[in-house]
Amino acid sequence: MNAIANTIARGAILVAGIALFAILAVIGAQIGARVFTGNSLSWSDELARLFFLYLVFIGAAETSVRHTHIAVDLKDTFRLPGEIDRFLDLGRMVLCIAVLAIIAVGAWKIIPVVENMQRPATRLSTAWMYYPVLVGSVLMIVATAINFIACIARTSPYPPFADDNKDKSDSR
């Protein structure tokens, strides 16, 4: 399972990096066009938004694998016992999978509806705006499921889990 998680994380970082570079290139081209020609590029805004969706949704899969997304750590805040914290972590993962499944199903259903619609400036299919939502949600479901199984088996591929994080203030 670690191999699958690592593959998802590395692939997500690669896609997110390419998307970030593409955003910078498109915005740079827009700035250059305005400065040197006085005219705007009609397609730059659409492409920047498209690349941003890939950056966010595919990149979020990496945070799901590494378990480094924004979360409220109740153990540190309320000094909950390890088993209660672990139970809450498992519940959070189940809730995440449920919400991500709803998002993935929604994207899956809307793609055929918007497939023949074109973006005004680029003439790309509007479905391209929903592919990263679908793919990113599925990748996050897989990553969260791997973390869920690892948490149950107490063999977390990546911290933080209740049993893997020792309170740093106790070790001083």
Side-chain angles (χ1 to χ4, degrees):
M1 291 239 227
N2 283 348
I4 295 169
N6 282 329
T7 301
I8 290 171
R10 287 186 185 124
I13 289 172
L14 177 66
V15 171
I18 291 169
L20 179 61
F21 178 77
I23 291 169
L24 294 172
V26 168
I27 299 301
Q30 173 71 311
I31 292 168
R34 283 186 182 178
V35 168
F36 296 115
T37 68
N39 296 321
S40 293
L41 302 173
S42 61
W43 47 266
S44 65
D45 183 49
E46 284 181 17
L47 278 182
R49 287 180 195 204
L50 177 67
F51 292 134
F52 183 71
L53 287 169
Y54 279 86
L55 172 69
V56 169
F57 279 94
I58 306 298
E62 193 271 340
T63 63
S64 292
V65 168
R66 306 275 187 229
H67 201 68
T68 57
H69 42 72
I70 296 172
V72 176
D73 190 354
L74 295 176
K75 181 178 181 183
D76 288 345
T77 304
F78 296 108
R79 302 284 183 204
L80 297 173
E83 283 305 310
I84 293 173
D85 188 57
R86 186 169 163 267
F87 178 75
L88 290 173
D89 207 21
L90 290 170
R92 181 200 47 80
M93 286 187 248
V94 168
L95 185 61
C96 278
I97 289 171
V99 170
L100 288 167
I102 291 168
I103 293 169
V105 168
W108 177 264
K109 287 182 177 180
I110 203 165
I111 287 172
V113 174
V114 299
E115 204 165 32
N116 294 325
M117 296 179 189
Q118 291 182 338
R119 305 299 302 159
T122 59
R123 300 286 182 223
L124 288 172
S125 170
T126 302
W128 283 100
M129 304 294 272
Y130 294 94
Y131 289 134
V133 176
L134 175 63
V135 172
S137 297
V138 169
L139 289 174
M140 285 185 271
I141 288 169
V142 171
T144 305
I146 290 170
N147 284 333
F148 182 85
I149 293 166
C151 188
I152 287 176
R154 298 174 188 263
T155 60
S156 168
Y158 300 102
F161 285 103
D163 295 342
D164 293 338
N165 269 348
K166 303 297 182 216
D167 189 6
K168 306 236 187 312
S169 61
D170 290 342
S171 62
R172 290 182 191 169

